[in-house]
């Protein structure tokens, strides 16, 4: 089952980077999990977030966050609106369902007659 994360929203932060101390480089990225198989495609309600500095090109992990960064990230998590979870059945699944129902219908009609 291939799973991937799609980017939903990127928020620039004005906090100091813990690595390079630049105030213009921090970006908080929200991602949502997508599962795609041969039979269906689904967007789940599972949300991931990551904090990166575009100036020094480093990932900022929660252990490195200052209290200010932690507060801003918590606020952005509350404000963030994810895509609604859904499951879309692909055409091959519909064809298998229709084929199965037709076989059952033919079998019942032959058995009854």
């Amino acid at each position: 089952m291939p799973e991937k994360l799609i980017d939903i929203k990127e928020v620039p932060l004005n906090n100091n980077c813990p690595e390079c101390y630049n105030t213009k480089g921090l970006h908080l990225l929200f991602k949502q999990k997508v599962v795609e198989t041969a039979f269906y495609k689904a967007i789940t309600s599972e949300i991931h977030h990551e904090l990166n500095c575009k100036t020094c090109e480093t990932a900022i992990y929660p252990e490195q966050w200052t209290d200010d960064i932690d507060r801003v990230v918590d606020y952005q998590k509350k404000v963030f609106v994810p895509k609604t979870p859904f499951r879309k059945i692909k055409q091959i699944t519909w064809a298998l369902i229709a084929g199965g129902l037709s076989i059952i219908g033919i079998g019942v009609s032959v058995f009854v007659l």
Side-chain angles (χ1 to χ4, degrees), residues 39-51:
F39 300 109
Y40 70 93
K41 179 178 182 178
I43 292 182
T44 65
S45 59
E46 188 174 330
I47 304 294
H48 296 274
H49 62 278
E50 58 186 46
L51 185 63

Side-chain angles (χ1 to χ4, degrees), residues 46 56 108:
E46 188 174 330
C56 61
V108 168

Side-chain angles (χ1 to χ4, degrees), residues 13-108:
L13 303 180
N14 289 328
N15 297 72
N16 290 337
C17 171
E19 295 291 323
C20 67
Y21 303 108
N22 191 345
T23 58
K24 302 289 184 202
L26 284 181
H27 287 267
L28 181 63
L29 183 62
F30 289 98
K31 296 182 175 194
Q32 197 162 2
K33 185 177 175 182
V34 176
V35 178
E36 186 168 0
T37 66
F39 300 109
Y40 70 93
K41 179 178 182 178
I43 292 182
T44 65
S45 59
E46 188 174 330
I47 304 294
H48 296 274
H49 62 278
E50 58 186 46
L51 185 63
N52 295 314
C53 180
K54 302 276 182 168
T55 306
C56 61
E57 299 293 328
T58 58
I60 311 299
Y61 298 104
E63 297 83 29
Q64 298 171 303
W65 293 359
T66 62
D67 292 336
D68 294 335
I69 292 174
D70 198 26
R71 271 185 255 135
V72 171
V73 169
D74 285 341
Y75 172 75
Q76 291 296 335
K77 282 185 199 176
K78 290 178 187 175
V79 174
F80 175 67
V81 179
K83 289 187 176 182
T84 55
F86 76 91
R87 184 172 298 212
K88 180 182 176 187
I89 298 175
K90 294 186 176 181
Q91 286 182 339
I92 190 166
T93 306
W94 288 117
L96 290 173
I97 291 171
L101 289 175
S102 64
I103 289 173
I104 290 172
I106 291 170
V108 168

